[in-house]
Amino acid sequence: MAGDPRLPSVDQSDGLEARLASVRGSISDAARAAGRSADELTLVVVTKYHPASLVRQLAALGVTDVGENRHQEAQAKAAELADLGLTWHFVGQLQSKKARQVRRYADVVQSLDRDSVVDAFAPTESEPDPRVVDGFVQVNLTDDPGRGGVQPDDVEAMVERVLRTGTIRLRGVMAVAPLDEEPRRAFARLRAVSSRVTSIAPGATDISAGMSGDHAEAIAEGATHLRIGTAITGNRPDAP
Ligand SMILES: *Cc1c(COP(=O)(O)O)cnc(C)c1O
């Protein structure tokens, strides 16, 4: 990749390259321990609050998938970095009005968790043939309905709704581990939800789980997509 004029030369002094290498190493170790191949895992680097320049550095280091959780910020970065051909994952809570805009630049929406958001992806009279996005149904692994995600019991209904839109290619399920529970236990529940999903949507085998602090546990429980921020980017700047 050296010499590609779109990519900056990476300044190694800030530690980004070392942190990325360390996370990649830890992902490989966890995959090996679980008897899995690291090739079946997609690393999504969550770059929220960080400037576009950091995303450009990550691309220079071979990162292909990035995650964002706020529409305006994501939209601006995706536009500024359109030349890089990155895969953009939207991982934040959505409202239906924003959802229509998110699908213009996001390749993957990981936070489908409400009827109104799913319905926003359906064709309309003014947009009869919208861009198709990949989607994950977000599952709430806590008892608190205020946290993002559908309750496990409601996942089948949501999956059927997603399939009916015709404009979302369902990839699987996504979740964040609760703060007050051993993550591996929570991810085991997600894995059980995933197998219910694949019984009605056989292609939707992906599991997005695992962040900076719990990606090894997620890999042990079958995660295919890891959403890792601070362990790679360093601490996030304050929310702008
Ligand atoms: C911020 C965020 C992440 C990354 O979290 P880190 O702890 O920084 O790795 C993962 N998933 C979602 C949904 C996020 O909002």
Side-chain angles (χ1 to χ4, degrees):
M1 225 175 256
D4 186 330
R6 294 169 304 172
L7 302 175
S9 63
V10 173
D11 174 5
Q12 300 190 1
S13 62
D14 69 1
L16 184 66
E17 185 166 20
R19 287 192 301 271
L20 178 63
S22 154
V23 167
R24 282 184 173 144
S26 139
I27 289 172
S28 299
D29 290 348
R32 197 172 312 112
R36 303 179 60 198
S37 161
D39 297 344
E40 37 180 290
L41 305 176
T42 300
L43 169 61
V44 179
V45 182
V46 179
T47 49
K48 62 193 184 198
Y49 309 173
H50 285 287
S53 55
L54 180 118
V55 183
R56 204 170 270 283
Q57 288 195 329
L58 288 166
L61 294 168
V63 167
T64 56
D65 289 67
V66 293
E68 290 284 333
N69 76 338
R70 294 181 320 158
H71 163 59
Q72 274 170 331
E73 181 185 339
Q75 182 179 43
K77 280 186 210 166
E80 184 173 343
L81 301 171
D83 59 321
L84 296 179
L86 293 166
T87 298
W88 291 86
H89 296 250
F90 195 85
V91 304
Q93 280 209 337
L94 267 176
Q95 296 146 7
S96 46
K97 242 170 50 194
K98 301 256 170 80
R100 278 201 191 95
Q101 299 177 44
V102 163
R103 73 150 160 238
R104 305 219 167 98
Y105 59 85
D107 304 287
V108 188
V109 177
Q110 295 210 6
S111 43
L112 300 171
D113 71 347
R114 251 167 310 156
D115 290 355
S116 60
V117 166
V118 171
D119 294 349
F121 286 88
T124 59
E125 236 166 78
S126 61
E127 234 181 320
D129 196 15
R131 189 165 169 250
V132 173
V133 293
D134 284 3
F136 288 74
V137 169
Q138 185 174 351
V139 181
N140 185 350
L141 297 175
T142 75
D143 300 326
D144 175 2
R147 302 285 300 263
V150 292
Q151 290 297 325
D153 285 348
D154 300 331
V155 166
E156 276 97 343
M158 189 62 73
V159 162
E160 275 157 11
R161 201 172 190 103
V162 169
L163 297 176
R164 274 200 304 274
T165 64
T167 55
I168 303 172
R169 207 178 298 112
L170 183 66
R171 297 282 299 270
V173 291
M174 176 274 222
V176 177
L179 294 172
D180 57 355
E181 184 183 1
E182 206 283 297
R184 183 144 182 194
R185 268 188 51 191
F187 292 142
R189 286 206 303 287
L190 181 64
R191 183 180 226 170
V193 172
S194 166
S195 71
R196 288 199 274 117
V197 168
T198 56
S199 72
I200 50 176
T205 52
D206 286 338
I207 300 177
S208 173
M211 317 201 317
S212 289
D214 56 20
H215 57 274
E217 290 87 346
I219 291 167
E221 292 298 339
T224 60
H225 288 66
L226 312 161
R227 309 177 312 270
I228 301 185
T230 49
I232 293 170
T233 62
N235 286 336
R236 277 185 280 278
D238 291 335

